């Protein structure tokens, strides 16, 4: 947002943070010109424009013994304190199934609803977490490291546009700006 505002001083941006269904509903109700969601809504009442695809990562404290590994295998989580996602997240069931298949039994010490909350708990020494690394890995959180998680767990981020009207000029410029200026990272790619 900051770089967009600096290069488009005539523009005004209002940032609202909400869960994906509220973002979709807000775009459709013309409360927002454009949205970005980190999960595919179950019923899209708006136009979804693919933005980034990411592979799962394990986030842990920088001094955790697993931090020395280049890639974390599902069986490496056996016995570890795990910050899990609430069961309403599809990736939670996917992770649970994967861990069961390899007979890895981490101790779930907390459940959260966002990668940000999981990373904060990791930073505070509660355990480790399997997260969507985009865009969190770009924030360079102090004291934590991200390692690729050897699994088929992937995440998709989308721009949300209204399906009943064209994007405003500012929204089109912002979407293009975000695409062009999102830094590259080892866990995600543009789609």
């Amino acid at each position: 947002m900051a770089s967009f505002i600096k290069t488009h001083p005539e523009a005004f941006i209002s940032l609202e943070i909400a869960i994906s269904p509220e973002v979709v509903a807000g775009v459709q109700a013309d409360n927002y010109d454009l949205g970005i969601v980190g999960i595919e809504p179950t019923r899209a009442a708006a136009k979804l424009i693919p933005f980034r695809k990411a592979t799962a990562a394990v986030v842990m404290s920088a001094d955790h013994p697993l931090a020395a590994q280049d890639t974390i295998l599902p069986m490496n989580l056996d016995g570890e304190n795990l910050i899990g996602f609430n069961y309403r997240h599809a990736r939670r069931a996917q992770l649970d199934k994967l861990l069961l298949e390899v007979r890895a039994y981490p101790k779930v010490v907390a459940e959260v609803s966002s990668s940000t909350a999981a990373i904060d708990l990791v930073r505070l020494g509660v355990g480790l977490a399997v997260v969507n690394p985009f865009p969190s890995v770009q924030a360079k959180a102090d004291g934590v490291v991200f390692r690729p998680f050897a699994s088929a767990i992937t995440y998709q981020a989308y721009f949300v546009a209204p399906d009943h009207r064209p994007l405003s000029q500012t929204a089109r410029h912002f979407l293009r700006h975000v695409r062009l200026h999102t830094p590259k990272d080892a866990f995600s790619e543009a789609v």
Side-chain angles (χ1 to χ4, degrees):
M1 281 179 59
S3 64
F4 181 79
I5 292 168
K6 288 176 183 176
T7 58
H8 296 80
E10 75 290 352
F12 170 79
I13 295 184
S14 175
L15 173 66
E16 295 282 337
I17 299 175
I19 60 174
S20 295
E22 290 176 6
V23 172
V24 172
V27 168
Q28 279 302 90
D30 292 328
N31 294 331
Y32 317 126
D33 290 324
L34 181 69
I36 301 176
V37 294
I39 59 171
E40 187 169 328
T42 54
R43 56 172 188 82
K47 182 178 176 184
L48 297 177
I49 304 166
F51 172 38
R52 303 285 296 182
K53 182 177 181 180
T55 56
V58 177
V59 61
M60 66 198 86
S61 61
D63 61 355
H64 192 284
L66 290 176
Q69 296 187 27
D70 292 333
T71 300
I72 307 302
L73 303 174
M75 64 272 302
N76 296 141
L77 301 184
D78 187 48
E80 294 290 337
N81 286 350
L82 181 69
I83 299 144
F85 283 86
N86 299 329
Y87 280 101
R88 68 182 171 83
H89 289 269
R91 299 303 174 267
R92 172 64 184 267
Q94 195 176 4
L95 177 61
D96 286 351
K97 181 181 179 205
L98 175 63
L99 294 173
L100 189 61
E101 287 172 358
V102 300
R103 293 187 172 99
Y105 304 101
K107 179 183 177 189
V108 178
V109 295
E111 290 182 343
V112 297
S113 61
S114 73
S115 291
T116 302
I119 294 166
D120 284 343
L121 289 174
V122 168
R123 185 182 306 107
L124 295 169
V126 173
L128 48 77
V130 177
V131 299
N132 175 357
F134 178 78
S136 302
V137 70
Q138 297 177 357
K140 308 291 185 226
D142 290 334
V144 301
V145 295
F146 291 80
R147 297 290 180 261
F149 184 55
S151 73
I153 300 173
T154 59
Y155 306 88
Q156 181 82 37
Y158 297 90
F159 292 102
V160 180
D163 63 0
H164 61 281
R165 65 171 169 81
L167 280 174
S168 69
Q169 182 178 5
T170 300
R172 283 193 321 273
H173 287 203
F174 183 74
L175 187 152
R176 184 174 189 278
H177 183 88
V178 171
R179 282 194 184 278
L180 291 173
H181 297 291
T182 298
K184 295 182 191 271
D185 65 70
F187 299 95
S188 71
E189 62 186 31
V191 288

